[in-house]
Amino acid sequence: MRIVVTGGAGFIGGNLCRELTARPGVDKVIALDDLSTGRGENLEGSGAELIEGSILDQGLLAEVVASADAVVHLAARPSIPRSLAAPAASHHANATGTLLLLEACRRNSVHVVAASSSSVYGAVPDLPKHEDLPTRPLSPYGASKLAAEAYVLAYAASFGLPVLALRFFNVYGPLQSAGHAYSAVIPKFIDAALRGEPLVVHGDGLQTRDFTYVGTVVAMLADAVLRRVTSARPVNLAFGTRVSILELTERLSALLERPVELVHVPPRPGDVRDSQASDARLRRLFPGLEAVPLETGLERTIAWF
Ligand code: NAD
């Protein structure tokens, strides 16, 4: 089996390429990545081949996808703040990029497993978020991921393309970078705590997130590819474990065995207040899936730092 991972040199992509090359039945893994936020080092020792290029390059896409059995589509310009700084760039990479990828896959009916995002729920207050709720993105990033997800599902309806669109919530773990303005909260907090610097909390810290360890995500993605799992509707990828940001700082402080200082700054525009997934649909499609608990995932992430 030959599998293409777009965004394969990124955080989730690097972990996924390792998981896939270790699975029996997988002959070749190709990471297609423009290295805009990803890094070649993330693939070191993974056994995957890196092709440096953009999903916006139609000629390259056609070539790379031609011999593939499946594509895991992770390439995107992630982060809400980044999309507020440059909305059109997010749209090009996330929405247009997905459309061009689907066009390349349509020719050979390649199975597409694509990363959508919990940010599509946006201003919808209901908890837990189940997939039949309306979508009201609060940021250009959320809007671009919703457009991408809609294209993925429309290609299944219009052309019979085998697809699975997964709404990732907050994923964390090894390879997630800490050192830039757009870093996610867990690596940012661990990095600051290890340096003895204060943890910067946006707002009161009582906002909640549903964190999923990257090892759980990539095990599930590999299973989806190998079993060729499809769904006509989007599927949440998280397990309904809601934790506040303040609680997260306490857990990290306990695991790191050191007190942490907090600095509160204004809330970020585009951020949702609460996030928690309903995992009912995910559990139906992946009955054997076991999630790594937050405590264990945080321990493994700290060990990687
Ligand atoms: P990441 O930035 O580490 O990975 C994205 C990868 O895509 C990077 O390696 C980047 O270089 C590459 N890329 C960007 N534009 C490209 C282009 N035009 N052509 C080719 N490659 C391109 O981010 P991640 O956290 O690993 O996210 C992977 C996917 O999961 C993204 O689609 C993201 O929207 C989605 N997602 C992630 C989370 C999370 O918590 N990490 C949450 C929701 C959704």
Side-chain angles (χ1 to χ4, degrees), residues 10-12 33-34 36-38 54-55 74-76 78 141 145 169 171:
F11 153 52
I12 299 173
D33 201 299
D34 69 355
S36 50
T37 57
S54 174
I55 54 165
L74 302 174
Y141 170 74
K145 293 303 283 187
F169 280 60
V171 187

Side-chain angles (χ1 to χ4, degrees), residues 44-60:
E44 263 166 24
S46 71
E49 179 192 345
L50 171 64
I51 296 182
E52 192 178 336
S54 174
I55 54 165
L56 294 167
D57 178 343
Q58 280 179 279
L60 177 64

